[in-house]
Amino acid sequence: MNESSRDFVYDCFSDFYSALSTVIPSPVLLGQREIGFLLFKERIMLRHKVFARIKDLKMFLGENVPSDVYRSCAYYENPAADMDKKGWLGADLVFDIDADHIPTSCSKIHDEWTCTNAECGFTGKGVTPETCPICGERKFDTKTWPCDLCLESAKNETVKLVDMLEKDFGFSDKEMSVFFSGHRGYHVHVEDDAVKTLDSIARKEIVDYVFGLGLTLSSGKTKSRSKRRRASRDFSLHDFGWNKRLKLGLQNFVREATKEDLKNAGVKGKSVTEILGNKELIINRCVEEGRWDSVKGVGAGTWKKLVECVKDLESSKIDTVVTTDTHRLIRMNGTLHGKTGLKKVGFPLGNLESFDPFEEAVAFKEGAVKVFVSDAPEFRLGGNVFGPFKRKTVELPTAAAVLLICKGRAEVAN
Ligand SMILES: [Zn+2]
Ligand SMILES: [Zn+2]
């Protein structure tokens, strides 16, 4: 981002935070939270701030114009003190679902990563690897895009998470809040006394549950006289929590399964044709009634493979670190994301399926500006479709221009 582009984005953010019409919803117990900011020009993080009232914070935002605003999930006696002297009182349970952690087919088209090891510099397309395949470096420069498909996948993961929190953990929609992150995903916050004082280890248990780690899938019956009952002895699913999710998931999977799907799940040989030829029997007798021995040639080993595959489909791809960190700073609701100029916005749980981030998170509704776009895929924003652009000067509405500049795809044209 060159200087004139940065000044332009800064002015947009400044107008937004100074406007009387901008409302920043106050987090519960604001005065017990640590507030942090990333400054536009200096690119440094200001931390350990505290604000008694939301209007003080909004005034600060108007005067200092940070690119990103964060608040702690935790509550402290002294939020402004050093980390070890803050006096931790508890923390909300938060979940972050980001397209970066979900393998989508489109990431190969719009995402790119470059190894930061100066002697290597290897680049690739798609999801960023844990370590560089050439030199083993763990840090990368990444170029991603908040695409429609990626955000749809992130939403699906959020739907699965919320369903688990509701049905398996028993949280009500009063205790849960859901937000669009302002970039490539969603946040779910649980604010409830039952979770407030959970430590990292307890939070990790919750993460493991969401991923479906460590499930027991056998009936536990060790003796059986009949060899024909082997599958039912070695494999069973009951009717609660994950087992219920696996049952329903398995029924859906079998109903839709193709030869290809079964092979990808690791099913081999005659079992493939047996499953494809006995779908109704499997759905109704094996899965529904637990009579797993009902189809000849399909044994416990095959059921376990199918369930592994279904577990992956039914689990929710949350970011482990965010949930287990009890001191985490998370983007503040109603503030702008420095990588997009979109707002983090909360919305009712019931609207999750229909929520459209490219409509409801748009912060800049007026004006237009001429930009030189180096490279951008086709995208949708505020009811319009733009691009694709390649080395082109175009006049765009402010919101679209800010998005491209923040994503490093465009500069203000002189
Ligand atoms: Zn490398
Ligand atoms: Zn995508």
Side-chain angles (χ1 to χ4, degrees):
M1 198 187 296
N2 67 30
E3 208 171 314
S4 53
S5 296
R6 198 187 60 198
D7 289 346
F8 168 71
V9 174
Y10 179 92
D11 290 344
C12 292
F13 277 45
S14 172
D15 290 348
F16 175 80
Y17 285 125
S18 307
L20 284 173
S21 56
T22 299
V23 177
I24 313 284
S26 179
V28 174
L29 299 171
L30 175 66
Q32 292 186 4
R33 312 244 188 200
E34 177 194 352
I35 309 293
F37 309 96
L38 192 61
L39 294 183
F40 243 104
K41 302 193 175 172
E42 299 82 354
R43 301 314 297 161
I44 52 160
M45 188 80 175
L46 270 188
R47 286 194 61 170
H48 315 297
K49 298 283 173 198
V50 58
F51 294 87
R53 297 169 306 176
I54 196 73
K55 70 175 194 186
D56 302 336
L57 174 61
K58 200 190 161 212
M59 198 182 292
F60 181 95
L61 298 180
E63 283 164 7
N64 294 276
V65 194
S67 64
D68 300 86
V69 185
Y70 304 94
R71 51 88 160 179
S72 62
C73 300
Y75 310 89
Y76 299 106
E77 277 170 35
N78 299 301
D82 286 343
M83 239 31 232
D84 54 341
K85 299 192 179 71
K86 277 187 176 356
W88 190 83
L89 297 170
D92 304 326
L93 178 64
V94 297
F95 298 91
D96 178 25
I97 292 146
D98 194 293
D100 290 355
H101 298 112
I102 309 165
T104 53
S105 54
C106 48
S107 81
K108 284 237 179 305
I109 300 165
H110 55 67
D111 294 350
E112 231 176 80
W113 48 268
T114 307
C115 171
T116 55
N117 174 355
E119 282 167 26
C120 173
F122 189 69
T123 69
K125 290 236 162 205
V127 177
T128 309
E130 289 271 316
T131 56
C132 173
I134 303 297
C135 73
E137 173 63 53
R138 301 184 134 258
K139 284 200 180 122
F140 300 91
D141 286 326
T142 56
K143 203 168 150 189
T144 62
W145 185 252
C147 106
D148 234 340
L149 254 163
C150 286
L151 275 168
E152 223 18 69
S153 320
K155 189 194 272 184
N156 285 338
E157 299 302 313
T158 312
V159 168
K160 289 186 280 182
L161 171 67
V162 166
D163 194 66
M164 278 187 217
L165 293 174
E166 229 164 23
K167 297 196 179 116
D168 300 1
F169 287 87
F171 294 117
S172 72
D173 39 352
K174 281 199 195 75
E175 291 148 348
M176 290 188 283
S177 318
V178 56
F179 306 88
F180 167 59
S181 73
H183 189 210
R184 301 226 303 149
Y186 291 87
H187 296 161
V188 177
H189 298 193
V190 179
E191 289 179 9
D192 182 52
D193 283 342
V195 300
K196 213 170 155 180
T197 54
L198 295 178
D199 62 10
S200 298
I201 296 163
R203 287 168 203 250
K204 178 66 170 47
E205 294 272 348
I206 295 174
V207 169
D208 288 351
Y209 186 90
V210 172
F211 282 127
L213 287 178
L215 293 174
T216 308
L217 300 173
S218 69
S219 61
K221 291 175 205 149
T222 48
K223 281 181 187 168
S224 172
R225 273 183 213 149
S226 161
K227 272 197 172 174
R228 286 197 56 232
R229 292 270 169 259
R230 275 193 63 184
S232 296
R233 187 192 69 196
D234 294 340
F235 181 83
S236 79
L237 295 174
H238 55 75
D239 266 318
F240 181 73
W242 256 107
N243 276 251
K244 187 173 179 186
R245 290 180 188 282
L246 292 174
K247 268 189 166 179
L248 295 173
L250 193 53
Q251 286 172 325
N252 286 333
F253 182 83
V254 168
R255 194 171 292 123
E256 307 289 333
T258 62
K259 208 168 163 182
E260 201 60 29
D261 295 333
L262 293 172
K263 285 194 170 155
N264 288 340
V267 180
K268 286 187 194 127
K270 231 184 108 213
S271 301
V272 176
T273 34
E274 286 299 328
I275 293 171
L276 292 175
N278 292 291
K279 285 189 172 187
E280 283 308 308
L281 187 69
I282 291 172
I283 291 164
N284 298 322
R285 196 178 294 171
C286 302
V287 187
E288 191 61 43
E289 296 174 19
R291 292 157 72 188
W292 299 98
D293 311 87
S294 304
V295 181
K296 230 175 89 189
V298 182
T302 302
W303 294 123
K304 281 178 185 167
K305 277 180 194 155
L306 284 177
V307 148
E308 258 321 299
C309 169
V310 168
K311 187 180 85 181
D312 197 48
L313 296 172
E314 300 296 318
S315 67
S316 173
K317 315 284 177 293
I318 57 172
D319 183 332
T320 304
V321 179
V322 173
T323 303
T324 52
D325 182 354
T326 53
H327 297 87
R328 191 82 184 180
L329 292 182
I330 196 153
R331 188 173 304 283
M332 183 127 104
N333 186 19
T335 65
L336 300 170
H337 199 302
K339 282 181 183 163
T340 58
L342 296 171
K343 276 187 292 187
K344 172 166 172 174
V345 277
F347 52 90
L349 264 184
N351 295 1
L352 183 52
E353 305 266 4
S354 64
F355 177 81
D356 182 354
F358 301 110
E359 292 292 334
E360 296 174 61
V362 175
F364 313 118
K365 311 239 174 182
E366 279 162 28
V369 61
K370 225 182 234 181
V371 288
F372 173 76
V373 188
S374 48
D375 183 20
E378 183 181 288
F379 65 102
R380 200 165 61 74
L381 199 65
N384 294 304
V385 177
F386 306 97
F389 301 118
K390 190 118 199 165
R391 304 192 58 76
K392 202 175 172 206
T393 302
V394 279
E395 187 174 77
L396 292 175
T398 305
V402 169
L403 173 66
L404 291 181
I405 294 169
C406 290
K407 291 302 294 174
R409 310 274 182 152
E411 302 281 5
V412 171
N414 295 315

